[in-house]
Amino acid sequence: MVEISNHMPTAELQALDAAHHMHPFSTQSGFTKKGARVITRAKGTRLWDSEGAEILDAMAGLWCVNIGYGRDELAEAAYRQMKELPYYNTFFQTTHVPVIALSQRLAELAPGDLNHVFYAGSGSEANDTNIRMARFYWAQKGKPEKNIIISRKNAYHGSTLGAMSLGGMSGMHAQGGVVQNVHHIDQPNWWSEGGDMSPEDFGIERAQQLEKAILELGEDRVAAFIAEPIQGAGGVIVPPDSYWPELKRICDQYDILLIADEVICGFGRTGNWFGSETVGIQPHIMTIAKGLSSGYAPIGGSIVCDEVAEVVGGDEFNHGYTYAGHPVSCAVALENLRILDEEGIVTRAREEIAPYLKEKFEGLTEHPMVGEAKIVGMMGSIALTPHKESRAAFAADAGTVGYMVRERCFANNLIMRHVGDRMIISPPLVITKEDVDLLIARAWQSLDEGMAQVKAEGLFKPA
């Protein structure tokens, strides 16, 4: 049996990694100069690297390790399933027990009439499915011209060609082109884009951009609107309270499908099982992944309402993936959902940890470089600024200061990401109050060190 272990010095591991491993969302040449941080093991909310440093993971991997690292039950579920049925597909009118059981459980958990699941290997793949499913749905109803999908600027829905096209990040669009008939409206980011408007008025204005787009493009052309309940990779953008009720009204009035991307928000992240419940919407389709298995096995999917499933199921839907509904991933996801439910992790996060985290996290606004702190459940962000009163951006290129602070976080053994000049967190739902205190202490230290560097380089001034 091939043994995989940290049997080499860190420098040798880094050199091999740089020579052979192409990293996502990275400048590969940087790994030759700097070397990647080699993570060797994990437990609970902690990671350890090849040098023995203990790191507090305030990002739950990539927003996904909701139950924390090192749960033997998930490893045992994977082992049992691999012994019994390691793989079979669900093409050609076949199925298997794990996919049946998981589908039933998801139908129980999902709100309203979201009772059907089309599986994928990731959230990106599931959002590609959603493009095809929404268009196929309207074609089946005799409206093939109803094929435009509206999304938001600065949205992230994955990095496959279709999912990237749904997303609204121009840097991604510039590399490889986009699929046609996807339209973008502005995001509900009051801090950066609200100007002199009140948050309430700004939320309504941004929501009404959807109505304006529908009328300009043609109600008979627009198939769906897709959005995360809370924007995640866009910087944890929490919309004003006025935003989602107005969006819901518009979708209902103009008969377009509402797709809620729950890849980050789902499975307890916002304090409820799904972010749609937190913001008070009932979507036609929900995209799921990440927290579905707590990242222990790759799995994604689309939870679909009764009416859409019935229409799509009326003819052959020529779409699917080799690993969709993989039995091992389904078994792991089922065990993950059992733990989240039976151990009361979602309830505890909402009622005990999230309020404590909110209080401590919002206290970071007392730091001279922090303008606002926004948090919903167990996902939050702080906006960095040289001038709080005007909500000013830095004179440096966007993201320069955020990256400096991120580097200080990593040096202080805290995984806290930056998106532009916002710092974001998404810790495991099992984080303790003591961990929260440590998170805040290390964040404050990193902000102090980052601000000192920003000032030393003459960048602490408004644009």
Side-chain angles (χ1 to χ4, degrees), residues 133 163 196 226 293 407 443:
M133 185 177 293
D196 296 330
I226 185 171
S293 69
E407 289 294 276

Side-chain angles (χ1 to χ4, degrees), residues 243-316:
Y243 181 72
W244 270 111
E246 183 67 2
L247 278 180
K248 182 178 180 296
R249 176 194 69 79
I250 294 166
C251 290
D252 290 344
Q253 179 175 338
Y254 293 97
D255 193 24
I256 65 173
L257 298 178
L258 175 57
I259 304 172
D261 186 333
E262 296 269 5
V263 170
I264 288 173
C265 294
F267 305 103
R269 178 59 54 194
T270 67
N272 294 295
W273 276 97
F274 297 99
S276 296
E277 297 167 293
T278 301
V279 300
I281 59 173
Q282 178 60 53
H284 299 91
I285 300 172
M286 292 198 314
T287 318
I288 55 171
K290 295 190 184 292
L292 173 57
S293 69
S294 282
Y296 280 59
I299 187 170
S302 304
I303 311 182
V304 183
C305 72
D306 291 343
E307 201 266 339
V308 171
E310 182 179 356
V311 171
V312 170
D315 198 357
E316 184 172 353

Side-chain angles (χ1 to χ4, degrees), residues 364-379:
L364 291 172
T365 55
E366 297 177 12
H367 192 278
M369 197 164 63
V370 176
E372 76 161 359
K374 302 293 286 186
I375 188 164
V376 175
M378 304 293 284
M379 58 190 298

Side-chain angles (χ1 to χ4, degrees), residues 164-372:
M164 176 271 293
S165 302
L166 290 178
M169 296 185 171
S170 57
M172 295 179 72
H173 292 175
Q175 296 179 343
V178 296
V179 300
Q180 298 301 304
N181 290 329
V182 177
H183 181 83
H184 296 86
I185 60 176
D186 290 325
Q187 64 176 335
N189 185 346
W190 176 81
W191 171 265
S192 296
E193 302 173 9
D196 296 330
M197 299 178 71
S198 69
E200 181 181 7
D201 289 344
F202 176 74
I204 292 173
E205 185 275 329
R206 285 295 158 100
Q208 289 180 348
Q209 284 193 19
L210 174 60
E211 186 169 37
K212 182 179 179 182
I214 292 168
L215 294 174
E216 288 179 352
L217 295 166
E219 183 180 352
D220 60 342
R221 295 287 320 286
V222 178
F225 172 67
I226 185 171
E228 295 174 278
I230 308 295
Q231 280 170 261
V236 187
I237 306 302
V238 181
D241 291 341
S242 58
Y243 181 72
W244 270 111
E246 183 67 2
L247 278 180
K248 182 178 180 296
R249 176 194 69 79
I250 294 166
C251 290
D252 290 344
Q253 179 175 338
Y254 293 97
D255 193 24
I256 65 173
L257 298 178
L258 175 57
I259 304 172
D261 186 333
E262 296 269 5
V263 170
I264 288 173
C265 294
F267 305 103
R269 178 59 54 194
T270 67
N272 294 295
W273 276 97
F274 297 99
S276 296
E277 297 167 293
T278 301
V279 300
I281 59 173
Q282 178 60 53
H284 299 91
I285 300 172
M286 292 198 314
T287 318
I288 55 171
K290 295 190 184 292
L292 173 57
S293 69
S294 282
Y296 280 59
I299 187 170
S302 304
I303 311 182
V304 183
C305 72
D306 291 343
E307 201 266 339
V308 171
E310 182 179 356
V311 171
V312 170
D315 198 357
E316 184 172 353
F317 183 37
N318 295 313
H319 180 73
Y321 308 102
T322 299
Y323 301 120
H326 193 287
V328 176
S329 293
C330 287
V332 170
L334 268 170
E335 184 64 9
N336 174 67
L337 295 179
R338 184 195 67 78
I339 290 170
L340 285 170
D341 183 22
E342 292 184 8
E343 295 186 8
I345 291 173
V346 175
T347 302
R348 174 183 169 274
R350 178 179 64 247
E351 297 179 0
E352 180 182 344
I353 299 302
Y356 187 80
L357 176 61
K358 178 180 173 66
E359 176 190 353
K360 298 296 183 179
F361 192 72
E362 289 180 346
L364 291 172
T365 55
E366 297 177 12
H367 192 278
M369 197 164 63
V370 176
E372 76 161 359

Side-chain angles (χ1 to χ4, degrees), residues 85 87-90 94-101 324-328 330:
L85 178 68
Y87 171 76
Y88 200 70
N89 67 77
T90 58
T94 60
T95 191
H96 50 72
V97 174
V99 79
I100 294 169
H326 193 287
V328 176
C330 287

